[in-house]
Amino acid sequence: MERHFDEALKNLKEKILRMSGLVEESIGSSIRALSDRNSELAYKVIKADDGINMLEIEIDNLCLQLLALYQPTAGDLRFIASTLKINNDLERIGDLAVNIAERTLDLLKVPPLKIRIPIPKMAQAAQRMLKDSLNAFVNKDSKLAYEVCKRDDEVDELNHEIFMELLKCTPEEQTPVERVIDLILVAKNLERIADHSTNICEDVIYMVDGKIIKHHITD
Amino acid sequence: MNKIFRRLFLTNLCVILVSFTFLGMILNCPFQDYANVIFMGVMTALILSLVIGKLFLRPIREMQRAAEKISRGDYKTHLALMRKDELGVLAGHLNQMSSELQNKIMEIMREKNELKAIVSSMEEGVIVIGNDEKILLLNSPIQDMLDLRSRNPVGRPYWEVIRNGEINRFLKEAIREKKSLKKEITILSPEEIHFSMQISPVVLEGQNLSGVVAVFHDVTELQKFARMRSEFVANVSHELKTPLTSIKGFVETLKEGALEDREKAKKFLEIIQKHAERLENLVNDVLNLSSLESKGVTLDFETIDLRPILETVVNFCKDQLDGFHHRIIFDISQNLPMVFVDCSKMEQAFVNLLDNAMKFTPPGGVITIRAYPDRGFVRVDFKDNGIGIEPQHLPRLFERFYRVDKGRSRELGGTGLGLSIVKHIVQAHQGRVSVESEPGKGAVFSVFLPIRSSEGSMN
């Protein structure tokens, strides 16, 4: 019985990490598609989302199965509960990657903007946050998780900066207006990715320390 | 230990006590004497027991301490026990054991360090995974390649550390089926990396250890090189084809009757001539570049002053200059050091740079040629106040056929090889080139040539 449970837990951990790998790849590819103006890559991201969605359902089922069959307690229970929630966040991040890929396909129809906006910088920050939140999960590192939560403000600021920068464009640069809107949406999606990464970190802190820090993060 | 001591002591005491009592009884002493004898017996027994105890127990205590030290890992322990009895032999064995243990452990450590040093000094990323999916060994290049940031990856399942679906799928397959795999993997973020991954099974016969070793070889540069080469071929053929198509077209039109109309025929011939010249320029540039790139090129070095060369260059470009109404400002440092260069090659590089500056500066613009010593180099700047270059183009500007604006460059008669030739010529002189620019504010192209410090040697 005990051994079966351990085996199932290991299986669950492998699955959620495979999921995180897929999501990280999706984000990386969608950003790359945007910066390289590569439509092929954007289509690949959109296509890969099906696999992520299937895996989400699989992980959900596995979590529920484990809860029902073994009635785990303490650390194991917290791990499964956190996995259930992280799974949800990862799936949403996958959707955001698809959104960025779709915006990229739209942007490819118009010539690139002449001015430089810090989207690559923001993308890098958001990606780093996601990566570190998953590292915190794998390493059961609540310290790193706290640190990632704090980085969310940076990304929020960049989002605001990009927004203001695009508003400041001359009317001539703003046409076609879809281009500016698409870029604002890309920044918004990146900001959401950072938010979901923060959620993952909160779940990691709950899993490791058993503490709930949501909504009122204190030092 | 104290137990033994106590037992030894008591046994001694009893034996001696009993023997003295018997002695007293045999001698049939009066009671007073008898008590005396017993007292003496007790004293003697005490002293004797202490002596015997000390004699046997001290070496045993020492050995105990030594054994404790050895078990704690202090293999330098040596027992100085000069005895010929069993205890002495035991101490000797203990000494031998500790020194042998020390040797064995040193050997194992050395082997382990050797292995570690070899694996970590490899350029390739290496990771060894056991059949239980746990990482047995990995080196630092792989951590950089795959951007692995996990703490203490050794001993953890590989899928916890490497979160790349593609790689993990292949690793799983190789571990399950104990087979070799060779795959090309591309990672897009955070940086684009291409590498070939070779997984081979590890089997140690007679032992429980088995698993796979995966070697990652970075082929990003190789792929980039291959791509550049194929791009070059495609570019050259494209560049050759455009003027050829024009020439062919105009010749056909002439043949089909345009020859009769003198006015038109003259115009067409002029166009044909222009395209033929472009072809000639292109072929010359390609030949130039290939001769510079092949190592066999011999440069005709001589120690010279740059000023006359720069003056020749400006005179050479004079004809073109008149059409543009550019103003050229000469700013050459009075004590410009001599340089050791191939005159004709350097002239060519400067012509290309000046030509470039003129093409991308609107009529009436100012081009400044500055030459001055700069930290061990003679620096020549070609500064213009033309249209400038956007920052994303700067790093690729010296690549073959790289053009910021394809249409305009061709219209101005550029081959796309000019700056690439400049870079190659300057590099052949152990110098370097750089460019600084801002859109709308012109550009500065700089050539750095090493100063010839003394006769026969380069600085």
Side-chain angles (χ1 to χ4, degrees):
Chain A
M1 181 79 168
E2 200 58 18
R3 259 199 50 205
H4 278 219
F5 179 58
D6 285 344
E7 198 60 30
L9 263 189
K10 192 187 131 194
N11 188 13
L12 175 62
K13 200 170 185 187
E14 191 180 346
K15 281 217 164 78
I16 188 87
L17 288 176
R18 197 194 312 155
M19 173 100 172
S20 63
L22 287 177
V23 171
E24 273 182 277
E25 246 166 81
S26 256
I27 292 291
S29 300
S30 67
I31 304 290
R32 176 67 58 164
L34 178 68
S35 61
D36 292 0
R37 295 178 72 83
N38 182 343
S39 61
E40 206 181 315
L41 206 54
Y43 281 119
K44 224 171 121 189
V45 171
I46 296 170
K47 233 179 120 191
D49 196 46
D50 287 343
I52 295 177
N53 291 343
M54 294 298 285
L55 198 55
E56 189 214 1
I57 296 172
E58 216 176 295
I59 291 171
D60 262 358
N61 282 338
L62 194 58
C63 285
L64 292 175
Q65 217 175 48
L66 280 173
L67 289 174
L69 280 179
Y70 301 97
Q71 279 114 39
T73 52
D76 290 338
L77 177 62
R78 290 207 303 273
F79 171 73
I80 295 172
S82 305
T83 305
L84 209 50
K85 286 153 92 180
I86 289 172
N87 188 30
N88 190 26
D89 279 317
L90 285 174
E91 194 274 331
R92 291 293 302 147
I93 296 176
D95 288 347
L96 295 170
V98 171
N99 285 355
I100 294 175
E102 283 170 352
R103 294 282 77 77
T104 301
L105 289 175
D106 281 351
L107 280 165
L108 286 182
K109 292 178 195 146
V110 289
L113 206 60
K114 286 269 187 265
I115 55 155
R116 308 291 282 168
I117 43 169
I119 279 193
K121 193 178 161 198
M122 185 177 177
Q124 212 180 9
Q127 266 180 292
R128 201 74 246 178
M129 270 181 76
L130 174 63
K131 192 170 182 98
D132 282 343
S133 71
L134 294 170
N135 279 341
F137 174 63
V138 177
N139 297 333
K140 295 193 167 55
D141 184 348
S142 56
K143 220 177 104 196
L144 180 62
Y146 273 112
E147 196 232 310
V148 176
C149 286
K150 280 184 197 147
R151 288 207 303 240
D152 190 36
D153 295 343
E154 260 173 63
V155 177
D156 287 350
E157 242 164 63
L158 275 168
N159 182 32
H160 185 68
E161 198 181 304
I162 289 170
F163 187 73
M164 296 315 281
E165 198 97 347
L166 286 168
L167 283 188
K168 265 193 290 178
C169 284
T170 56
E172 168 198 333
E173 276 167 339
Q174 279 186 355
T175 39
V177 72
E178 288 89 344
R179 180 168 62 186
V180 175
I181 292 176
D182 276 336
L183 286 170
I184 288 176
L185 285 175
V186 167
K188 182 74 199 157
N189 282 322
L190 289 171
E191 191 262 334
R192 293 295 300 148
I193 289 172
D195 287 348
H196 282 292
S197 306
T198 314
N199 282 358
I200 292 176
C201 285
E202 287 166 357
D203 292 332
V204 170
I205 292 166
Y206 171 69
M207 178 180 84
V208 180
D209 300 342
K211 260 197 278 184
I212 295 171
I213 60 153
K214 274 182 189 179
H215 312 306
H216 49 82
I217 172 165
T218 45
D219 229 55
Chain B
M1 198 64 177
N2 278 334
K3 237 187 238 166
I4 302 174
F5 181 77
R6 224 176 290 137
R7 206 174 293 155
L8 215 69
F9 181 78
L10 285 175
T11 329
N12 271 326
L13 199 70
C14 292
V15 169
I16 293 163
L17 206 64
V18 171
S19 45
F20 272 92
T21 320
F22 274 114
L23 200 70
M25 270 152 76
I26 291 161
L27 292 175
N28 210 5
C29 296
F31 179 74
Q32 219 169 8
D33 285 353
Y34 187 58
N36 232 355
V37 166
I38 286 180
F39 177 72
M40 270 176 57
V42 169
M43 290 314 289
T44 324
L46 251 170
I47 292 162
L48 265 173
S49 318
L50 278 174
V51 170
I52 291 169
K54 275 268 179 294
L55 224 60
F56 280 99
L57 281 174
R58 218 193 43 234
I60 292 179
R61 278 236 173 96
E62 264 175 37
M63 275 189 264
Q64 181 201 8
R65 268 187 228 118
E68 263 172 19
K69 268 192 194 166
I70 292 168
S71 68
R72 275 201 305 268
D74 179 8
Y75 303 107
K76 287 184 188 68
T77 316
H78 186 83
L79 275 170
L81 212 61
M82 290 300 176
R83 287 167 71 122
K84 289 233 159 67
D85 59 358
E86 285 82 350
L87 283 177
V89 174
L90 189 60
H93 283 311
L94 213 58
N95 280 340
Q96 203 184 342
M97 188 179 84
S98 87
S99 71
E100 216 132 276
L101 258 175
Q102 190 183 3
N103 287 344
K104 278 271 177 331
I105 282 172
M106 297 272 272
E107 203 177 310
I108 290 166
M109 291 288 278
R110 208 191 58 236
E111 271 172 21
K112 202 180 155 193
N113 285 341
E114 264 175 20
L115 184 71
K116 214 171 153 188
I118 291 169
V119 171
S120 58
S121 59
M122 277 173 78
E123 205 178 295
E124 287 85 5
V126 178
I127 184 163
V128 184
I129 301 164
N131 270 346
D132 57 355
E133 302 188 337
K134 289 194 172 132
I135 296 173
L136 296 172
L137 183 145
L138 82 173
N139 64 355
S140 51
I142 198 172
Q143 289 178 301
D144 296 337
M145 268 183 201
L146 303 182
D147 195 26
L148 307 179
R149 295 276 177 271
S150 298
R151 273 178 284 161
N152 315 322
V154 173
R156 295 174 48 176
Y158 67 88
W159 41 262
E160 268 190 19
V161 179
I162 306 171
R163 289 202 302 271
N164 179 302
E166 213 181 355
I167 296 175
N168 286 356
R169 208 172 56 240
F170 292 134
L171 284 173
K172 194 176 195 121
E173 193 183 329
I175 292 171
R176 199 180 51 223
E177 292 170 26
K178 296 194 196 326
K179 66 171 188 183
S180 294
L181 279 175
K182 194 177 168 99
K183 297 279 173 196
E184 299 284 325
I185 307 265
T186 302
I187 288 185
L188 290 173
S189 99
E191 267 168 60
E192 191 170 335
I193 306 179
H194 302 270
F195 46 79
S196 74
M197 174 176 73
Q198 165 81 51
I199 312 177
S200 332
V202 183
V203 185
L204 271 181
E205 271 181 42
Q207 288 181 45
N208 270 337
L209 176 78
S210 65
V212 294
V213 53
V215 180
F216 295 77
H217 188 73
D218 193 339
V219 291
T220 314
E221 286 295 308
L222 244 100
Q223 283 215 343
K224 209 165 131 194
F225 186 68
R227 201 170 56 216
M228 264 170 74
R229 203 165 48 186
S230 67
E231 268 175 15
F232 179 71
V233 173
N235 274 324
V236 169
S237 8
H238 178 78
E239 297 288 331
L240 288 172
K241 214 176 156 199
T242 327
L244 266 181
T245 317
S246 285
I247 291 172
K248 218 173 133 197
F250 282 110
V251 168
E252 264 164 28
T253 327
L254 283 173
K255 249 170 85 182
E256 274 162 24
L259 203 57
E260 309 306 320
D261 186 341
R262 285 194 67 84
E263 267 304 299
K264 264 191 186 151
K266 201 175 168 227
K267 206 175 140 203
F268 286 175
L269 281 173
E270 269 165 16
I271 295 173
I272 291 172
Q273 192 188 6
K274 203 182 109 200
H275 282 295
E277 271 165 17
R278 211 175 118 194
L279 268 180
E280 195 190 3
N281 283 343
L282 185 68
V283 171
N284 280 342
D285 276 358
V286 170
L287 284 176
N288 245 322
L289 201 61
S290 74
S291 85
L292 280 166
E293 278 190 344
S294 67
K295 296 274 184 260
V297 65
T298 44
L299 293 178
D300 216 352
F301 281 111
E302 51 188 316
T303 310
I304 45 135
D305 187 4
L306 275 183
R307 184 188 289 268
I309 295 192
L310 287 169
E311 276 163 4
T312 321
V313 168
V314 174
N315 283 332
F316 185 80
C317 295
K318 206 105 202 173
D319 295 343
Q320 271 173 283
L321 262 166
D322 290 341
F324 281 107
H325 305 290
H326 285 136
R327 204 151 59 86
I328 292 203
I329 299 172
F330 248 127
D331 177 10
I332 293 174
S333 174
Q334 281 307 315
N335 48 356
L336 194 69
M338 303 282 261
V339 285
F340 190 57
V341 295
D342 179 318
C343 254
S344 65
K345 288 274 184 298
M346 222 54 239
E347 236 175 68
Q348 193 189 350
F350 290 147
V351 166
N352 282 359
L353 283 174
L354 185 58
D355 187 55
N356 208 50
M358 289 193 305
K359 272 180 194 156
F360 294 100
T361 309
V366 182
I367 297 167
T368 315
I369 302 176
R370 273 186 83 196
Y372 54 102
D374 182 13
R375 279 166 290 174
F377 286 89
V378 167
R379 176 171 174 170
V380 186
D381 288 349
F382 287 79
K383 182 171 182 290
D384 64 65
N385 61 351
I387 53 172
I389 305 149
E390 287 188 36
Q392 70 263 37
H393 300 299
L394 291 178
R396 299 191 58 190
L397 222 50
F398 291 96
E399 277 176 28
R400 294 178 293 198
F401 291 117
Y402 189 81
R403 287 183 170 114
V404 174
D405 186 336
K406 286 194 175 135
R408 189 173 50 206
S409 164
R410 269 197 213 105
E411 199 182 296
L412 293 167
T415 57
L417 292 171
L419 286 176
S420 182
I421 291 174
V422 172
K423 185 182 85 176
H424 276 96
I425 291 175
V426 175
Q427 280 178 349
H429 288 84
Q430 275 86 45
R432 64 190 161 87
V433 285
S434 74
V435 57
E436 276 170 45
S437 178
E438 236 179 279
K441 290 187 182 165
V444 187
F445 285 84
S446 309
V447 171
F448 296 80
L449 292 169
I451 291 173
R452 181 173 168 81
S453 55
S454 62
E455 279 301 306
S457 73
M458 290 267 250
N459 192 2

